[in-house]
Amino acid sequence: VNDHPFPYVLTLSGTLRSPKMLFRPPFLMLMPVPLDVQTEAVITITPQDFVRPSRIGVKLPEIEHPDGTRTCPFSVQFPDGQDIVLSSDGAANELTCRICFRSSKPMSFLREIFFTDEEEN
């Protein structure tokens, strides 16, 4: 360009980071309680590498009883909201999540609770 016989070469490189969430604690064990008594635990969710605001969703597991009935004994609350808000430096706010369990039937199980963003990641 501008009477230079050699063209300029521009090389771009970058790293794409997938958004993820860290959980404290990473595993949750709820204490046994009498029937129809609620037990709960609080976890902290730290969003990482989100490039835009998002809203956290939750998929709770259904449990099948020996008699064939199905129920979801869990409930989830976000006392301070479930929106991921980015600060000017790109950091995201931590979210507090309260997970509650109550059942009128005796049960013991191991299941996963799925937390997703608005794009189902």
Side-chain angles (χ1 to χ4, degrees), residues 3-41:
D3 298 327
H4 288 239
F6 302 104
Y8 291 94
V9 176
L10 180 64
T11 303
L12 301 175
S13 66
T15 303
L16 177 64
R17 295 183 180 176
S18 297
K20 60 184 170 227
M21 294 181 260
L22 299 179
F23 297 89
R24 281 189 327 266
F27 299 97
L28 186 63
M29 185 183 312
L30 297 172
M31 298 304 297
V33 292
L35 296 178
D36 277 329
V37 173
Q38 180 171 292
T39 184
E40 65 182 48

Side-chain angles (χ1 to χ4, degrees), residues 24-25 27-31 38-44 75-77 79 96-101:
R24 281 189 327 266
F27 299 97
L28 186 63
M29 185 183 312
L30 297 172
M31 298 304 297
Q38 180 171 292
T39 184
E40 65 182 48
V42 174
I43 63 171
T44 302
S75 63
V76 173
Q77 299 170 338
T96 301
C97 178
R98 181 179 299 127
I99 300 174
C100 303
F101 172 87

Side-chain angles (χ1 to χ4, degrees), residues 2 5 12 17 25 49 56 60 63 65-66 70 88 90 96 119:
N2 293 344
L12 301 175
R17 295 183 180 176
D49 299 326
I56 299 297
L60 299 172
I63 309 302
H65 297 282
R70 298 180 69 82
S88 59
T96 301
E119 297 176 4

Side-chain angles (χ1 to χ4, degrees), residues 40-109:
E40 65 182 48
V42 174
I43 63 171
T44 302
I45 303 170
T46 306
Q48 292 188 329
D49 299 326
F50 278 78
V51 294
R52 63 181 163 270
S54 189
R55 186 171 182 84
I56 299 297
V58 182
K59 294 181 183 178
L60 299 172
E62 277 193 343
I63 309 302
E64 185 171 348
H65 297 282
D67 64 5
T69 60
R70 298 180 69 82
T71 185
C72 181
F74 293 101
S75 63
V76 173
Q77 299 170 338
F78 291 88
D80 303 319
Q82 58 196 92
D83 293 326
I84 296 174
V85 180
L86 303 176
S87 65
S88 59
D89 65 355
N93 60 316
E94 287 189 338
L95 302 171
T96 301
C97 178
R98 181 179 299 127
I99 300 174
C100 303
F101 172 87
R102 179 190 303 249
S103 177
S104 60
K105 297 182 179 183
M107 62 175 67
S108 177
F109 55 87

